[in-house]
Amino acid sequence: ILLVTIGSLGFYLIGGEEWSVIDSIYMTILTLSTVGFDEVHTLDDLGKTWAILLIIFGVSGFAYIIYELGSELIQLNTYRSRTMRKKILKLESHYIICGFGRMGAVIASEFQKKNIHFVIVEINDMKINSIQESNYKYIHGDATLDETLIDAGIKTCKGIVVVLDNDQDNLFV
């Protein structure tokens, strides 16, 4: 909003009597959106310089907004992960389900129905979304790594169910 206001004010002042407020706003929006339509009125060198500055600050401002949104998203995911790990640390005598394929989903559903505490270990991002929708406790990681199983509470668990995609990984876990 600030960029549109300053840009419009600049075009309005540079354009003189020939430019209306609407012309100035329109030219600012065209410049910031990088659409590339013709100029509302012919620009002199000062007007062209103003347009160049507006493009530079507009693109930079947009990139900064995208960067900040990405940063906030990463912080939200980190917060979720930390919160989930704290909940898992409190569990004792729970089960760990390694893999959330067809069988892992069935087992998790049965555990949920019987009010049995469990943690799912899954590496696939698409499956993590499904796990989150079901409100299951989970660790997003590789079940074949010791630190992932430690994060899932293997030292205090009652049992482990290994239903990964291939026999080699199942045997390794």
Side-chain angles (χ1 to χ4, degrees):
I1 292 172
L2 183 65
L3 199 53
V4 170
T5 304
I6 292 171
S8 300
L9 183 63
F11 278 122
Y12 185 74
L13 295 174
I14 291 169
E17 294 177 15
E18 198 175 294
W19 287 67
S20 69
V21 173
I22 295 296
D23 287 343
S24 302
I25 294 170
Y26 181 72
M27 188 62 186
T28 301
I29 298 298
L30 284 178
T31 304
L32 289 174
S33 66
T34 65
V35 171
F37 286 153
D38 285 339
E39 299 161 351
V40 176
H41 300 285
T42 305
L43 295 173
D44 59 8
D45 287 343
L46 183 58
K48 289 176 183 175
T49 303
W50 183 251
I52 290 169
L53 290 172
L54 195 56
I55 290 170
I56 290 169
F57 284 104
V59 170
S60 300
F62 182 73
Y64 179 74
I65 288 170
I66 296 300
Y67 170 78
E68 284 298 321
L69 288 174
S71 176
E72 290 297 320
L73 188 61
I74 289 170
Q75 287 180 5
L76 178 63
N77 285 339
T78 302
Y79 171 77
R80 282 183 182 164
S81 177
R82 197 175 313 124
T83 303
M84 184 63 65
R85 289 179 194 269
K86 284 181 182 178
K87 288 179 185 177
I88 292 169
L89 279 174
K90 295 177 183 175
L91 291 177
E92 288 185 7
S93 299
H94 62 287
Y95 289 88
I96 299 173
I97 303 172
C98 297
F100 194 72
R102 186 176 48 86
M103 283 308 299
V106 169
I107 293 166
S109 176
E110 287 299 315
F111 280 176
Q112 184 77 13
K113 287 177 189 173
K114 295 180 180 181
N115 203 22
I116 297 172
H117 297 290
F118 63 95
V119 175
I120 299 169
V121 176
E122 180 59 57
I123 196 166
N124 184 312
D125 292 332
M126 302 273 288
K127 293 178 183 178
I128 289 293
N129 291 335
S130 179
I131 293 167
Q132 288 173 336
E133 289 171 5
S134 300
N135 279 333
Y136 295 149
K137 291 179 182 72
Y138 68 95
I139 295 289
H140 187 187
D142 186 350
T144 62
L145 300 176
D146 291 345
E147 56 268 11
T148 304
L149 294 175
I150 290 169
D151 287 345
I154 197 164
K155 293 180 180 179
T156 60
C157 76
K158 191 173 190 178
I160 185 166
V161 180
V162 186
V163 284
L164 297 174
D165 291 339
N166 64 64
D167 290 339
Q168 181 180 358
D169 287 343
N170 286 329
L171 184 59
F172 189 76
V173 172

